[in-house]
Amino acid sequence: DDQGRVTYFNQAFSRVFKWTLSERLGKKMDDFVPKENWPETREMIEMVHQGKFFSGIENARFDKTGNIIPVSISGSTYKDRQNKVVGSIINIQDISDRKQAEASVKQREKLKGVLEMAGAVCHELSQPAMIIEGYADLFLMNMDKNDPLADKMVKLKEQVARIGDLAQKLMRITRYETRKYGNGQTIVDIDRASEMDKKE
């Protein structure tokens, strides 16, 4: 009605939000609006008071159990025979599936970016790593085993091998995984992103 109290909602509303009409009849639905969604909700209420129509405003609502459901909201006023606004008709569409699809697309786009980055890094790393390893081998071949530098050359080769292992992990990245890095930042978790599927 013109005070925002429920006079009717259909079975689809009950199915999605789990309230029955008898539970909400004559009551406002303020408690199914998440706190962070009130600014847009107040704008919609004001549009209704002004007799304006609105459509497709994305927002979120709680269901009876407290789960947040992403929704698209449209609304308009209805008037009596004297053209006086006596209430509103609000259409709330559950867009959970659409949001999940959009999130999936974003995830694929992120993964594509990670894979492109990984390929470029591997290409740039492989050439200098191979050259360093080759020089290390040459030095070791011409170096006495007791030479103090021999041990350093062996360690150098070990570090080059680590670079090679890193390049292989980058090439095996199959999903977008991140980890906390500090100062609120996140970075790609190369180990988790490159793990083989346990089912495989």
Side-chain angles (χ1 to χ4, degrees):
D1 62 14
D2 61 344
Q3 299 299 312
R5 295 170 300 207
V6 174
T7 59
Y8 172 78
F9 53 63
N10 62 14
Q11 291 182 354
F13 184 96
S14 295
R15 184 175 65 252
V16 173
F17 294 100
K18 300 181 174 63
W19 277 290
T20 63
L21 179 57
S22 60
E23 290 176 306
R24 304 304 307 192
L25 192 63
K27 300 176 182 178
K28 291 188 175 183
M29 293 297 293
D30 290 0
D31 53 352
F32 95 137
V33 182
K35 182 178 179 180
E36 61 272 19
N37 296 115
W38 266 108
E40 301 95 332
T41 300
R42 289 191 184 95
E43 290 179 8
M44 287 184 272
I45 292 171
E46 183 59 29
M47 282 189 276
V48 167
H49 287 163
Q50 294 174 6
K52 296 179 180 178
F53 168 80
F54 60 89
S55 177
I57 297 178
E58 292 193 5
N59 218 260
R61 293 293 183 263
F62 286 121
D63 68 8
K64 183 180 177 180
T65 62
N67 293 319
I68 292 181
I69 300 174
V71 295
S72 174
I73 305 176
S74 303
S76 63
T77 58
Y78 69 88
K79 302 177 182 179
D80 61 15
R81 293 181 179 180
Q82 286 73 43
N83 206 37
K84 178 184 176 183
V85 173
V86 293
S88 60
I89 300 173
I90 308 297
N91 180 279
I92 305 175
Q93 180 184 5
D94 179 358
I95 56 172
S96 300
D97 290 343
R98 192 179 87 195
K99 285 297 183 182
Q100 288 176 0
E102 289 174 356
S104 178
V105 169
K106 288 181 180 178
Q107 193 78 351
R108 287 197 298 271
E109 289 174 349
K110 286 182 179 179
L111 179 58
K112 180 182 178 183
V114 169
L115 292 175
E116 289 173 351
M117 176 275 296
V121 170
C122 290
H123 176 73
E124 295 298 325
L125 282 177
S126 62
Q127 295 300 320
M130 287 175 63
I131 292 171
I132 293 170
E133 186 175 15
Y135 274 115
D137 283 332
L138 284 173
F139 282 127
L140 283 170
M141 286 172 58
N142 295 288
M143 200 177 281
D144 189 282
K145 291 183 179 179
N146 296 321
D147 190 318
L149 290 176
D151 185 54
K152 290 181 172 59
M153 282 295 134
V154 170
K155 290 181 179 178
L156 178 65
K157 283 196 64 176
E158 289 174 354
Q159 296 306 309
V160 173
R162 286 185 64 191
I163 293 174
D165 289 342
L166 175 61
Q168 288 300 312
K169 285 182 179 180
L170 288 171
M171 293 301 292
R172 290 200 304 268
I173 287 177
T174 57
R175 57 185 183 272
Y176 186 77
E177 298 281 354
T178 61
R179 63 181 175 87
K180 293 181 180 179
Y181 184 64
N183 297 323
Q185 295 180 328
T186 58
I187 60 174
V188 173
D189 188 328
I190 294 173
D191 289 327
R192 289 174 60 200
S194 61
E195 285 177 352
M196 297 297 289
D197 192 324
K198 292 181 179 178
K199 294 180 181 179
E200 294 180 353

